[in-house]
Amino acid sequence: MASASAAVGNRSVALTWFLRVLVVGYLVMIVALPTGLVAQNTFKDGLGGLRTALSDPDVVHSLLLTVRVAVMAVAINLVFGVGMSLLLVRYEFPGKRALSALIDLPLAVSPIVVGLALVLVYNPRYGFFGQPLSDRGIDIVFATPGIVMATCFVALPLIVREIVPVLEEMGDDQEQAARSLGANSRQTFLRVTLPGIRWAIVYGVVLSLARSLGEFGAVKIVAGKSIGDKETATLLVQREYQNFHQDVAYSVSFLLVVAAVLCLVVVAILRPSTSHHATPKVKQ
Amino acid sequence: MSIEVKNLHKRFGDFVALDDVTVSLPTGQLTALLGPSGGGKSTLLRIIAGLDSADEGSVTIEGAEATHLPPQKRNVGFVFQHYAVFKHMTVAKNVAFGLEIRKRPKAEIAERVDELLKLVHLSQFAHRLPSQLSGGQRQRMALARALAVEPSVLLLDEPFGALDAKVRKELRDWLRRLHDEVHVTTVFVTHDQEEALEVADEIVVINEGRVEQVGTPDQLYDSPANPFVMGFLGEVTDLGGVALRPHDIEVSVEPGPDTSVSGTVTRLLRVGFEVRVTVTADDGSQVLVVLTRTHARALDLAEGTRVWLAPARGATTIVAGPGRAEPELTRA
Amino acid sequence: MAATVVTADGPTRKRRSVRPGAMTRGSTLGLGIGMVWFSLLVLIPLGAVVVEASGGGLDTYRSIFTNSQTFNALKLTVGVSLLTTALNMVMGTIIAWVLVRDRFRGKAILDLVIDIPFAMPTIVAGLVLLALYGSQGPLGTEFENTRKAVFLAIAFVTLPFVVRTVQPVLEEMETDVEDAAASLGATRATTFRRIVLPTLVPAIFAGAALSFARGISEYGSLVLLSGNLPNQTEVTSFRVASILEGGNRPAAAALATVMLVVALIAIVALDVTQRRLARRG
């Protein structure tokens, strides 16, 4: 009968309440209240602000572009993430540990550095790859593919980080059992491995989606100065805010916040235990 | 009496863990709290240690009122099923912890730790981390840690529950010998009746939050207070409306007195030195009888053999009844 | 006798050990494709940054420290990141503690709120903070274009890291261990200091490494908030962007390299901590 609380005779009610109030207060002041204010500012004039914003073709275009870029980036990261996770957990190869650490690198790299890095290599004028590609009429940087790549870069580790612990926890005995029952690798993967990691994949995809919809810095650099029709929603928020169209900025921000919170809610509901969270954590 | 527990009640939500438990645990003895899982014995132990609080009732340790004392003021040693080692400290540091809390002089601590590690045969592991020890070694370290502060009572919660059968048996013998050496009042919780019978001076049987019986191993085995205690301490079979132990049945291949039950052997199972015989009585009921191999051979038992069964002289019997029947102890 | 006991552990929560297999033809192909993509996307571009920086020789690096505007930006960024990281180490640990050990209504919502800074677009994060702490906000605080704003924005975006690294460790930790300390005579404070904290320290530092790396590299949330005033509120990533806009690619790359090195150190620190945590088991 181990009860959840440690040493009952030893608890201080005052301390418990102090910590509780401190934490709730801090989170309300830093996160909850500011986030709530965006909603309030958006609906200051009822639905009018949102309606005006959505009737602006630039806004609609930027939202559609954002969704398109995010979907493409997530699809690419999904294939890469599932494949890499399987390789990292189930196979042995030289440099594995280094690769495993390097995959986490994008989490720590400044979005500006990401943008700079991609521009250096894929720039149509002097980029090592950009120049030859440009000669063949393919533009990466200052075009949609560059925006997709920048988004891929920043969200790269998220799916891997979700799947790897689950694969490790699962062990490979189910897969061996499937093999012993005559399944080939494809059947084993589709019928045993994939169902085992499907929730991890769902979380990873949802989180990547949230991250991809919201990327700003890297996209800003890669999209270049003459943005034109390459303006994503986050870039539009900046431009509209600085041009004193605060209502439009707030409306688009509100939509982005809703998307982000929705992603988090989906993950929170789907997740069976409380021990996993959206934020990257130490792999145990 | 070292520990006096009076009228303890404890609920976890709707679940009644302890229902008016009163028990006295004698000084210097090794007492087992025995019962099925979820019966409340661990809760009782944790309340004695101050790790849980009772809803009602009182606890006295060595004559001092302890009901509302926090655990750190009770001077009890507690050993957990899953060791509860301090992972970041070496074995020696783990053992020294309680003494450091009590601000004993360094030299004294070192000496005491040395002595205790010797006692639990871990001297050569003093500077290892607990993660480098086996389960049995970790539990011995936990025991040394609890003993270091010279507790007035030592409480062990299923101390061998997480260990495999062989280590468990070794540690069990070792605990008994250790107790004979240090004589600290010891209470341990177990659901293994063999463990309790083998190690304890006294056993408290607890089931569904109530004390079923208190006594020495012999008393409990020979004079169980009720069918639950009888069933929990060993195998029971039903012979003509009487519950008794399968090895307390006399088997005869000749017709016996009228009181004997006649039947046919339907199954024979040889397990090592014993033979387990299933007899289907003429009224259709099945009776389990355990014989030694020699005895079974002498009787020349085989499937289909006609036999007459009667309780052996001095057998412990109880009128069989469903569930918690009132104790009706009879002696054949 | 007992001293000879060297059998395996009991049912401590043990991770099933998976022995990774040798590479097959299919997996080699997969690894090949994966590595090509990873190189094209991450390794080669980041390498190009380092190469570009080295084009200007050591002087470019020296200019980071001699150019007072750049140096001030670096100083501000590192300073604020250290400060917010320190704040996160304390607050993050407390938040994780409350989330794991306390019970009250609405805790699940709190758990969700922690992740908002991670999922929210950074530009929106800036806007959001401006809404509350800006001159038009209800509090009457005028944080925009001040160093307070820089601190606030970085505290916001780095909030989840320590919480989410400490939380699982705290959940794994058995309350038995604290009970054991209590029964050995330790007070609540002593138990926390000598038993709980040492167990959490690797996780706290892992979270701190992530938090610091994120703080150093922050850009989006500061765009609307900091005003980007040279020598006052300009942070390193803005400096990189504006040097790049000015056309001095090697200088921008050199500063970016410095940031990359910091990121790499954070990642290595994280990797080492993970391994230490895993070994202690």
Side-chain angles (χ1 to χ4, degrees):
Chain A
M1 277 286 114
S3 60
S5 65
V8 278
N10 206 11
R11 317 194 70 184
S12 151
V13 179
L15 184 66
T16 304
W17 272 99
F18 172 73
L19 293 178
R20 199 182 285 178
V21 169
L22 178 69
V23 163
V24 172
Y26 185 72
L27 291 179
V28 164
M29 287 312 286
I30 292 270
V31 186
L33 208 54
T35 308
L37 264 187
V38 169
Q40 203 198 323
N41 285 343
T42 307
F43 296 108
K44 210 161 38 188
D45 317 315
L47 282 173
L50 210 55
R51 204 174 293 139
T52 322
L54 286 177
S55 60
D56 182 339
D58 278 1
V59 171
V60 175
H61 182 268
S62 76
L63 287 173
L64 287 178
L65 177 67
T66 299
V67 170
R68 223 173 58 226
V69 166
V71 168
M72 276 193 277
V74 169
I76 294 169
N77 278 345
L78 175 63
V79 174
F80 177 82
V82 173
M84 265 305 165
S85 305
L86 282 171
L87 286 164
L88 286 175
V89 178
R90 293 284 187 264
Y91 294 94
E92 196 55 70
F93 53 88
K96 190 169 103 164
R97 188 176 160 187
L99 180 62
S100 158
L102 279 174
I103 284 184
D104 286 343
L105 191 60
L107 283 178
V109 176
S110 170
I112 295 299
V113 177
V114 174
L116 172 67
L118 290 174
V119 166
L120 286 177
V121 175
Y122 296 102
N123 187 292
R125 279 184 294 122
Y126 52 79
F128 183 74
F129 293 134
Q131 216 175 4
L133 282 170
S134 178
D135 292 345
R136 289 171 182 74
I138 304 170
D139 281 340
I140 305 268
V141 160
F142 311 134
T144 315
I147 299 178
V148 174
M149 280 182 86
T151 309
C152 272
F153 191 124
V154 296
L156 184 85
L158 297 178
I159 294 182
V160 178
R161 276 182 158 261
E162 287 293 327
I163 299 177
V164 164
V166 177
L167 269 181
E168 277 173 353
E169 191 67 50
M170 216 167 99
D172 61 353
D173 38 9
Q174 295 178 50
E175 284 160 34
Q176 286 177 358
R179 289 303 185 94
S180 76
L181 293 168
N184 62 30
S185 348
R186 212 176 60 90
Q187 289 166 319
T188 307
F189 175 72
L190 288 178
R191 302 179 65 151
V192 177
T193 315
L194 200 56
I197 57 172
R198 66 167 179 262
W199 288 119
I201 294 178
V202 172
Y203 309 143
V205 164
V206 175
L207 291 173
S208 302
L209 192 66
R211 190 81 176 78
S212 302
L213 288 172
E215 183 44 34
F216 174 76
V219 168
K220 186 177 158 67
I221 300 282
V222 169
K225 256 179 270 178
S226 51
I227 285 173
D229 63 345
K230 261 91 63 199
E231 188 176 57
T232 62
T234 49
L235 297 179
L236 179 123
V237 169
Q238 185 202 4
R239 183 172 58 82
E240 295 290 0
Y241 189 87
Q242 285 171 343
N243 291 343
F244 303 103
H245 298 137
Q246 299 197 349
D247 44 344
V248 179
Y250 275 120
S251 296
V252 176
S253 291
F254 175 74
L255 292 175
L256 289 170
V257 169
V258 168
V261 172
L262 217 60
C263 287
L264 292 180
V265 170
V266 166
V267 171
I269 291 174
L270 287 179
R271 261 180 223 271
S273 84
T274 55
S275 58
H276 302 280
H277 297 278
T279 319
K281 57 175 189 290
V282 175
K283 282 174 249 170
Q284 295 270 310
Chain B
M1 288 290 170
S2 177
I3 303 172
E4 295 273 2
V5 168
K6 284 211 182 93
N7 307 101
L8 277 191
H9 290 262
K10 176 72 181 176
R11 290 168 153 275
F12 292 104
D14 286 340
F15 177 73
V16 179
L18 294 178
D19 183 10
D20 199 20
V21 168
T22 298
V23 71
S24 299
L25 304 170
T27 304
Q29 291 217 20
L30 185 51
T31 307
L33 302 182
L34 175 67
S37 305
K41 51 197 188 323
S42 284
T43 307
L44 176 58
L45 199 73
R46 289 177 65 87
I47 290 175
I48 294 173
L51 299 174
D52 271 330
S53 59
D55 299 336
E56 277 173 58
S58 68
V59 178
T60 315
I61 299 174
E62 297 286 3
E65 164 65 31
T67 315
H68 300 292
L69 225 50
Q72 58 267 40
K73 300 221 172 105
R74 296 196 183 199
N75 200 35
V76 296
F78 202 99
V79 174
F80 298 80
Q81 179 174 6
H82 296 288
Y83 329 129
V85 296
F86 303 144
K87 287 179 190 172
H88 59 288
M89 298 181 185
T90 61
V91 170
K93 275 284 176 195
N94 262 275
V95 176
F97 184 83
L99 297 168
E100 285 176 4
I101 293 292
R102 285 166 176 72
K103 302 212 162 46
R104 297 281 169 78
K106 277 219 165 69
E108 186 195 320
I109 295 178
E111 193 185 329
R112 181 95 181 109
V113 168
D114 228 37
E115 190 184 308
L116 279 159
L117 287 180
K118 226 171 263 163
L119 186 69
V120 298
H121 305 282
L122 287 176
S123 297
Q124 69 271 43
F125 299 117
H127 301 294
R128 299 243 183 120
L129 283 176
S131 58
Q132 294 164 291
L133 301 186
S134 73
Q137 290 168 332
R138 282 185 216 187
Q139 198 58 301
R140 279 185 281 140
M141 183 199 83
L143 206 55
R145 184 177 70 182
L147 286 173
V149 299
E150 290 173 352
S152 46
V153 287
L154 179 63
L155 307 174
L156 304 100
D157 189 3
E158 298 264 7
F160 313 130
L163 303 167
D164 64 42
K166 185 166 164 283
V167 182
R168 195 163 165 163
K169 200 150 168 41
E170 283 168 352
L171 272 190
R172 191 196 285 174
D173 296 347
W174 176 79
L175 175 68
R176 179 68 240 185
R177 259 176 288 159
L178 183 82
H179 182 262
D180 294 342
E181 261 177 71
V182 294
H183 285 301
V184 58
T185 307
T186 305
V187 183
F188 77 103
V189 159
T190 180
H191 62 263
D192 180 346
Q193 82 285 356
E194 199 187 310
E195 193 166 289
L197 289 173
E198 216 178 288
V199 179
D201 298 318
E202 189 166 84
I203 299 176
V204 180
V205 181
I206 295 179
N207 181 39
E208 292 180 343
R210 278 182 294 249
V211 175
E212 299 278 356
Q213 192 176 3
V214 182
T216 64
D218 287 354
Q219 282 167 351
L220 257 57
Y221 197 83
D222 294 338
S223 335
N226 56 43
F228 174 81
V229 174
M230 182 158 183
F232 200 75
L233 285 179
E235 241 177 341
V236 176
T237 192
D238 182 0
L239 178 67
V242 192
L244 75 177
R245 307 226 180 268
H247 56 76
D248 276 349
I249 295 177
E250 219 136 73
V251 182
S252 164
V253 287
E254 308 286 330
D258 294 346
T259 51
S260 66
V261 174
S262 58
T264 310
V265 174
T266 45
R267 199 165 120 84
L268 278 170
L269 181 67
R270 161 87 194 275
V271 185
F273 63 86
E274 52 172 54
V275 179
R276 306 172 67 84
V277 184
T278 308
V279 175
T280 305
D282 294 343
D283 64 1
S285 66
Q286 297 216 319
V287 184
L288 176 68
V289 185
V290 175
L291 303 170
T292 62
R293 178 171 152 264
T294 329
H295 192 182
R297 218 176 245 178
L299 291 170
D300 197 20
L301 294 183
E303 279 175 24
T305 310
R306 286 289 292 168
V307 290
W308 283 263
L309 307 176
R313 279 165 57 85
T316 303
T317 58
I318 279 188
V319 173
R324 276 175 59 93
E326 283 304 302
E328 271 183 62
L329 204 64
T330 54
R331 286 243 166 190
Chain C
M1 167 67 225
T4 61
V5 175
V6 259
T7 30
D9 285 17
T12 41
R13 268 164 261 152
K14 225 188 301 176
R15 166 137 303 160
R16 252 177 281 178
S17 66
V18 178
R19 188 169 289 279
M23 297 296 283
T24 58
R25 207 178 328 146
S27 60
T28 310
L29 182 69
L31 182 63
I33 296 172
M35 281 313 292
V36 167
W37 172 239
F38 189 59
S39 306
L40 285 176
L41 185 69
V42 177
L43 297 181
I44 296 173
L46 290 183
V49 173
V50 180
V51 171
E52 182 76 33
S54 65
L58 267 181
D59 278 351
T60 15
Y61 286 102
R62 207 168 292 135
S63 73
I64 294 173
F65 299 97
T66 50
N67 180 321
S68 68
Q69 194 183 342
T70 308
F71 188 61
N72 282 334
L74 205 58
K75 241 175 28 191
L76 173 70
T77 314
V78 171
V80 171
S81 298
L82 283 176
L83 248 130
T84 48
T85 300
L87 173 74
N88 283 330
M89 286 168 84
V90 177
M91 279 313 292
T93 307
I94 294 175
I95 293 172
W97 177 272
V98 169
L99 285 180
V100 174
R101 291 294 168 82
D102 203 354
R103 276 176 198 179
F104 53 92
R105 287 166 68 91
K107 205 177 83 173
I109 296 174
L110 227 54
D111 214 21
L112 190 92
V113 166
I114 307 285
D115 279 333
I116 288 182
F118 182 73
M120 186 184 277
T122 47
I123 184 82
V124 177
L127 190 71
V128 152
L129 290 171
L130 201 58
L132 182 61
Y133 295 100
S135 52
Q136 290 172 20
L139 299 181
T141 42
E142 294 182 23
F143 276 15
E144 61 255 58
N145 310 342
T146 66
R147 291 191 165 188
K148 281 181 216 148
V150 178
F151 179 83
L152 192 66
I154 293 181
F156 178 89
V157 297
T158 58
L159 169 80
F161 294 104
V162 175
V163 180
R164 292 311 188 211
T165 45
V166 171
Q167 205 174 0
V169 180
L170 210 50
E171 273 165 2
E172 278 278 300
M173 204 175 141
E174 305 142 83
T175 51
D176 273 5
V177 178
E178 288 158 66
D179 285 352
S183 80
L184 288 169
T187 59
R188 199 173 158 86
T190 311
T191 305
F192 184 78
R193 191 169 47 84
R194 296 207 43 194
I195 305 299
V196 179
L197 209 52
T199 311
L200 298 184
V201 158
I204 294 175
F205 276 94
L210 282 173
S211 162
F212 183 71
R214 180 68 206 266
I216 290 283
S217 62
E218 188 47 29
Y219 178 75
S221 64
L222 294 167
V223 169
L224 302 180
L225 203 54
S226 78
N228 191 21
L229 306 172
N231 300 321
Q232 284 185 45
T233 60
E234 191 182 39
V235 296
T236 323
S237 43
F238 279 93
R239 208 54 209 123
V240 175
S242 69
I243 296 175
L244 185 66
E245 266 175 52
N248 189 350
R249 269 184 281 133
L255 192 51
T257 305
V258 172
M259 294 175 77
L260 262 179
V261 169
V262 175
L264 210 60
I265 291 171
I267 289 294
V268 169
L270 189 63
D271 193 62
V272 170
T273 325
Q274 283 170 358
R275 263 151 233 281
R276 252 187 69 191
L277 270 178
R279 215 181 25 244
R280 198 191 270 168

